Amino acid sequence: DVAAALREGRVSRIEVGPGFWDVALTKGKAGAAASSFMRVAVAPAAMELLAPMLARLLASPAGRSVQVLPRPAGWGAVASTLTLILLPVAYAAMLYFVVQRLQNPRGEVGRPSHARRVDRVQFADVAGIDDARESVAELVRFLRDPAPYTALGARIPKGVLLHGPPGTGKT
């Protein structure tokens, strides 16, 4: 394809690099601006065989206006290798921090708790209405000595629901 484009005068520039040729093609004559590019992979052994052919084509009348530029390998291979290594590492680090954040939403790693222990809360310490206190006291009496209440037909409760604002001693 490159040889045919050179014969037709559609090649404006060829950049020769290690293992490849970058060919800039034009729609019209060779002096026009490049409209498309073609990369041709060339094995190093084939490069020695193709060099004389390229020299003959460039010496022809159609190939005289073609620029041939050397192109070193540059950082392309290094950048692609680093990308292949750094992207998974960055992804794993990001995943690690997201999982850590989900496990401890406030982001406090290893901080001691500031909660205070309350040793013992007495019934007299519980705030509330006197009727509620009497009801709870009667329930406690029933749980401690159920005989007088069961003689009247009362049954042992399966549970008790205490209602009130936080901090009022419902436990």
Side-chain angles (χ1 to χ4, degrees):
D1 293 339
V2 176
L6 269 169
R7 281 189 214 106
E8 295 170 7
R10 293 186 310 121
V11 176
S12 63
R13 183 179 71 237
I14 298 176
E15 293 181 9
V16 179
F20 65 89
W21 290 354
D22 280 340
V23 182
L25 301 172
T26 62
K27 289 185 179 177
K29 287 290 183 188
S35 62
S36 64
F37 294 91
M38 175 176 36
R39 177 166 274 202
V40 179
V42 181
M47 192 75 90
E48 294 174 9
L49 298 173
L50 292 175
M53 182 190 79
L54 180 62
R56 277 194 313 272
L57 286 170
L58 291 173
S60 69
R64 287 195 182 119
S65 62
V66 177
Q67 295 177 334
V68 178
L69 306 169
R71 186 165 180 200
W75 288 94
V78 175
S80 66
T81 304
L82 285 177
T83 303
L84 288 175
I85 293 171
L86 292 180
L87 275 179
V89 170
Y91 179 73
M94 183 181 69
L95 189 63
Y96 172 77
F97 286 116
V98 166
V99 168
Q100 289 293 79
R101 185 80 174 164
L102 288 175
Q103 287 178 350
N104 191 358
R106 293 186 353 189
E108 301 171 350
V109 177
R111 286 192 177 178
S113 173
H114 294 292
R116 290 188 221 127
R117 283 194 166 272
V118 177
D119 289 332
R120 192 78 180 151
V121 176
Q122 301 294 323
F123 190 72
D125 298 336
V126 177
I129 305 173
D130 291 335
D131 292 338
R133 284 186 182 189
E134 289 173 16
S135 298
V136 172
E138 187 174 349
L139 177 66
V140 170
R141 276 194 308 270
F142 173 69
L143 292 173
R144 285 191 180 151
D145 185 24
Y149 297 98
T150 53
L152 296 172
R155 289 181 289 156
I156 297 175
K158 295 190 189 232
V160 177
L161 180 65
L162 299 175
H163 177 70
T168 56
K170 295 179 293 295
T171 341

